[in-house]
Amino acid sequence: MLDEILLSHSLLVKLFLGFLVGGLVMLLIGSKDPLKLKRTSFIYTLIFQGIITMIAFAGLVAMVVGKFGMGLDIILMVLIWGVLMYIEIRRHKLIKFANLQNEETYRMLKVLFVKIITIQIALVTAMVVFKILQAKGVISF
């Protein structure tokens, strides 16, 4: 049972990485309409929070079922989850209240969003690499 839970957690993380990369690609090749950016940002944030919450829930269930202690790796995952949620909520609020009719603001926010998504991808990738190295015995905690 624990193997299935860990597999679902792993698949959700891969789905999340794919979602982040897809969001980055859509942002780079997306339309130039500011209202569409606001609407797609709202939908993106809802899906983002849904997937990341499923990841956290599957991880929590795995931790309880597997009787894992609160080690450094789990603390690091929780911290990264919190940072990702904080960044996404701030990003969404920024676009929600921004004046997107101003062309300069629109361009600045688009560049900022590319940087934010890149940071989010880097955080998730770093945690995945950390867990792979830990599973192979290169890193031990």
Side-chain angles (χ1 to χ4, degrees):
M1 178 159 165
L2 180 61
D3 291 336
E4 289 88 4
I5 296 169
L6 290 173
L7 177 66
S8 67
H9 183 72
S10 174
L11 290 175
L12 284 168
V13 170
K14 290 176 179 104
L15 171 74
F16 185 59
L17 269 173
F19 172 74
L20 288 174
V21 170
L24 181 63
V25 169
M26 286 177 43
L27 186 62
L28 292 174
I29 64 170
S31 91
K32 306 288 183 212
D33 184 17
L35 293 177
K36 283 187 179 180
L37 179 64
K38 194 173 261 195
R39 189 175 30 236
T40 47
S41 173
F42 176 69
I43 294 168
Y44 178 87
T45 299
L46 289 176
I47 296 170
F48 180 98
Q49 291 178 344
I51 294 172
I52 201 167
T53 302
M54 287 188 287
I55 290 170
F57 182 73
L60 180 64
V61 170
M63 189 177 91
V64 170
V65 170
K67 297 179 183 167
F68 299 124
M70 199 64 166
L72 180 63
D73 55 341
I74 293 177
I75 292 171
L76 191 58
M77 283 188 264
V78 170
L79 286 175
I80 288 176
W81 181 86
V83 168
L84 289 172
M85 285 296 271
Y86 176 77
I87 291 171
E88 186 61 26
I89 290 168
R90 295 289 298 170
R91 185 194 69 79
H92 177 67
K93 282 187 178 182
L94 185 63
I95 194 154
K96 184 177 180 180
F97 298 115
N99 178 16
L100 295 178
Q101 300 304 328
N102 183 349
E103 185 65 30
E104 183 65 30
T105 304
Y106 174 72
R107 266 188 268 121
M108 181 190 68
L109 285 177
K110 210 165 175 185
V111 169
L112 180 66
F113 294 166
V114 168
K115 290 178 183 178
I116 287 172
I117 293 174
T118 305
I119 290 169
Q120 290 171 335
I121 291 171
L123 283 170
V124 175
T125 305
M127 191 65 222
V128 168
V129 169
F130 176 77
K131 289 302 287 181
I132 289 171
L133 292 175
Q134 187 181 28
K136 290 190 177 204
V138 175
I139 300 173
S140 63
F141 288 99

